[in-house]
Amino acid sequence: MDSEKPNIMLVEDEIHLARGICFNLEEEGCRVSHFETGEKALAALEFEHFDLIILDVMLPGMDGFEACRAVRTLDARVPILMLTARSEDCDRVHGLENGADDYLTKPFNLEEFLLRVKGMLRRSSWYRPDPVEEAYHFGHNDVFLLSYRARTAQGEIDLTEMEVRVLSIFFQKEGQAIPRVELLQTVWGYTTDTETRTLDNFIVRLRRYFEPDPGKPIHFQTVRGVGYRFSRKG
Ligand code: CA
């Protein structure tokens, strides 16, 4: 096994689409393991590590949402990209609430798909947490970026890879209003200002973890017409 190649899990029951995705990702230098059901994918996750999971929502047997929740119990960190066939907004948000890190609606543009995958796989230096700082403290929270953990008022939680990336940029730019597009580009690798609920849903998640009252955020503030601002003091 070539350990340099990103190892991707694809869970997709449409064989033609799966073949196309596998072919294109392999062309891009990835290693892809394809599974047709969530059950088979979960069995494989017990003994193999993946760098990214691409998960279709509509699957025979266990659906993608269920599979996503189950994946999170086995691997709290791995980035998960959901493929949703339905265009209803609630469906996408449902995926993000179940632990996915981004979604793409079918039928999707291949170029957009590959950019998104690369964005999620990217290991760049900017979000590498400063190893000197063991815990980042704010409010009633201690965040341990290096170990993907946080102690909150509600107890200890595991953070996903993408949550650590978002938190890293917020901590680095504490007190500054960060434009939506900058967050989407830096964290997820979006190239255009694509209409997406991903970022807003992530903020909802972070507020739920870290805010004393998620409905009245003091740390993760909305900056109207711009994006978001993180404030350590609140
Ligand atoms: Ca399907």
Side-chain angles (χ1 to χ4, degrees):
M1 188 174 107
D2 186 344
S3 60
E4 291 299 301
K5 285 187 174 184
N7 196 22
I8 298 180
M9 167 182 269
L10 171 66
V11 190
E12 170 62 79
D13 59 316
E14 290 163 56
I15 299 305
H16 286 296
L17 180 61
R19 279 196 191 130
I21 289 176
C22 287
F23 175 79
N24 283 286
L25 288 176
E26 280 160 5
E27 285 281 286
E28 295 288 328
C30 300
R31 194 171 166 268
V32 192
S33 302
H34 170 228
F35 302 90
E36 287 175 44
T37 67
E39 287 84 349
K40 285 179 191 165
L42 287 167
L45 259 183
E46 299 272 1
F47 55 88
E48 189 170 354
H49 171 78
F50 293 90
D51 300 301
L52 173 71
I53 297 178
I54 302 166
L55 186 55
D56 185 33
V57 169
M58 303 287 277
L59 293 168
M62 166 191 277
D63 73 14
F65 300 129
E66 224 179 306
C68 191
R69 285 195 300 276
V71 166
R72 280 288 172 244
T73 66
L74 295 169
D75 189 333
R77 298 182 193 181
V78 63
I80 301 175
L81 174 64
M82 295 213 81
L83 303 180
T84 152
R86 288 171 276 182
S87 55
E88 285 93 39
D89 213 36
C90 64
D91 226 41
R92 311 173 190 180
V93 172
H94 194 42
L96 295 166
E97 278 169 358
N98 280 285
D101 297 294
D102 202 359
Y103 64 84
L104 206 54
T105 307
K106 288 179 180 175
F108 48 78
N109 169 286
L110 178 65
E111 206 180 330
E112 176 72 19
F113 169 78
L114 291 174
L115 285 168
R116 207 69 70 76
V117 166
K118 283 185 207 162
M120 293 180 87
L121 283 173
R122 199 176 30 169
R123 295 284 187 278
S124 45
S125 56
W126 70 265
Y127 73 88
R128 283 273 171 255
D130 182 353
V132 177
E133 184 168 29
E134 291 224 353
Y136 187 96
H137 182 79
F138 67 98
H140 295 288
N141 311 290
D142 288 301
V143 178
F144 304 86
L145 293 173
L146 286 174
S147 50
Y148 294 73
R149 282 182 309 116
R151 240 187 336 247
T152 74
Q154 305 154 61
E156 212 162 292
I157 53 168
D158 290 315
L159 300 167
T160 73
E161 168 77 31
M162 304 305 278
E163 285 165 353
V164 164
R165 291 194 204 182
V166 182
L167 288 169
S168 297
I169 192 168
F170 275 131
F171 295 168
Q172 281 170 33
K173 299 201 167 195
E174 202 262 322
Q176 299 173 39
I178 313 173
R180 292 179 61 84
V181 64
E182 184 181 334
L183 286 162
L184 284 167
Q185 284 176 348
T186 324
V187 177
W188 282 272
Y190 279 63
T191 49
T192 52
D193 195 7
T194 317
E195 188 57 40
T196 178
R197 296 286 302 275
T198 298
L199 176 60
D200 310 278
N201 205 274
F202 254 71
I203 302 295
V204 169
R205 234 147 97 172
L206 297 179
R207 285 173 177 160
R208 212 185 293 141
Y209 294 160
F210 301 118
E211 295 279 359
D213 178 358
K216 294 196 182 88
I218 53 173
H219 298 296
F220 298 89
Q221 305 162 351
T222 303
V223 185
R224 285 196 198 292
V226 182
Y228 292 99
R229 180 199 296 116
F230 170 73
S231 169
R232 194 166 189 165
K233 293 233 188 298

